[in-house]
Amino acid sequence: MFNVAIDGPSGAGKSSVSKEAAKRMGFIHIDTGALYRSLAYSAIKNKININDEISLKNMLNMTKINIEFQDGVQNVILNGENVNDKIRTEEVSKGASDISKIPMIRAFLLDLQRDLARENNVVMDGRDIGTVVLPNADVKIFITASPEQRAERRYKELLAKGEKVVYNDILEKLIYRDHQDTHREIAPLKPCDDAVIIDTSDLDFSQSVNAVLDVIREKYND
Ligand code: DC
């Protein structure tokens, strides 16, 4: 199987670019952030204190996550419930960043991610795909962009959804999450030595997709 690992900070366009690149390659796209988000959603919904190890362990013992694909769209099914539309709120974003620091959570999701990559040609995106989940991936890419550019994109996305948002709040929260994601002890966000770094600050969507496809095709045609 051919595995592409794409990592990078929130809002760099990683998921949408990975999804389109996967589609053009005929691969499946796995958005691993959605897995952390669904566990955060579950903890919020069930009022679990994520710092209480026993409660969290109980929650995981009762959690079954399945991933289904419909027209190339990944659906995360959490204990039978499709949570795709519930995991994109700011509350869940913050919860996902908090919960993803916990080793038990990362271990819980590791096999699921590896199994998907073993059985399929994948473009898998996240924070630690090249470093931890798929260290032997055929292609590793690190997509980044300036915090201001990323906050601006997120701001426009939320405005388009009709949400009332303030740009500075988004920038502040994004910087907070970046700090938390890059400074945690376990699997911190960082480019691995063999990753190709793509900065999308000055690239539009289709230029970003093409930049990623160029890197993939160089290896895929070998
Ligand atoms: O990509 P995203 O914004 O949907 O990810 C949500 C959170 O999950 C993010 O704060 C970091 C965490 N995450 C992670 O720790 N490892 C991954 N492979 C993917 C996401």
Side-chain angles (χ1 to χ4, degrees):
M1 290 299 154
F2 195 88
N3 290 171
V4 180
I6 300 193
D7 293 300
S10 325
K14 216 175 7 131
S15 268
S16 44
V17 168
S18 301
K19 186 172 163 196
E20 181 61 21
K23 188 170 158 199
R24 302 254 291 267
M25 293 301 297
F27 293 4
I28 61 169
H29 166 231
I30 318 274
D31 165 7
T32 63
L35 304 175
Y36 290 90
R37 285 171 180 272
S38 54
L39 291 180
Y41 165 78
S42 177
I44 293 167
K45 185 176 155 193
N46 296 304
K47 300 192 168 43
I48 305 284
N49 172 2
I50 63 167
N51 297 315
D52 173 0
E53 226 175 276
I54 295 176
S55 307
L56 196 62
K57 201 170 188 171
N58 286 338
M59 180 185 99
L60 292 181
N61 284 340
M62 292 189 293
T63 299
K64 177 96 188 95
I65 295 182
N66 287 315
I67 296 194
E68 291 176 4
F69 294 93
Q70 244 172 11
D71 303 326
V73 177
Q74 167 186 297
N75 285 298
V76 181
I77 316 293
L78 177 84
N79 295 333
E81 178 189 3
N82 183 336
V83 294
N84 264 31
D85 293 340
K86 312 220 165 108
I87 57 175
R88 299 288 156 197
T89 63
E90 283 292 307
E91 187 189 17
V92 173
S93 299
K94 159 95 174 45
S97 180
D98 293 339
I99 212 168
S100 65
K101 284 192 290 192
I102 302 172
M104 196 198 312
I105 293 288
R106 305 202 71 83
F108 179 82
L109 293 175
L110 195 56
D111 286 346
L112 173 65
Q113 298 170 83
R114 286 188 175 155
D115 288 348
L116 286 162
R118 198 170 19 249
E119 291 156 12
N120 303 281
N121 286 336
V122 296
V123 175
M124 185 176 284
D125 84 69
R127 302 291 189 291
D128 62 337
I129 309 305
T131 48
V132 177
V133 180
L134 306 176
N136 298 319
D138 301 278
V139 173
K140 295 182 186 178
I141 297 174
F142 193 87
I143 297 188
T144 187
S146 68
E148 291 75 15
Q149 275 287 344
R150 291 185 283 127
E152 171 99 22
R153 287 178 197 162
R154 178 87 184 128
Y155 173 66
K156 287 187 180 153
E157 220 173 81
L158 291 172
L159 273 191
K161 279 197 208 160
E163 289 189 32
K164 282 210 181 81
V165 279
V166 177
Y167 170 81
N168 277 337
D169 283 353
I170 298 197
L171 180 61
E172 212 170 275
K173 284 182 186 150
L174 185 134
I175 290 171
Y176 170 84
R177 285 209 300 275
D178 273 3
H179 186 269
Q180 180 151 276
D181 293 347
T182 50
H183 287 78
R184 66 183 178 216
E185 262 173 47
I186 172 168
L189 169 67
K190 63 165 195 269
C192 37
D193 294 341
D194 49 351
V196 176
I197 297 180
I198 298 178
D199 186 327
T200 64
S201 300
D202 298 320
L203 303 182
D204 65 19
F205 178 69
S206 81
Q207 289 169 327
S208 307
V209 173
N210 285 333
V212 166
L213 284 173
D214 284 348
V215 179
I216 298 176
R217 288 189 178 129
E218 204 173 296
K219 283 281 173 73
Y220 193 58
N221 291 330
D222 267 0

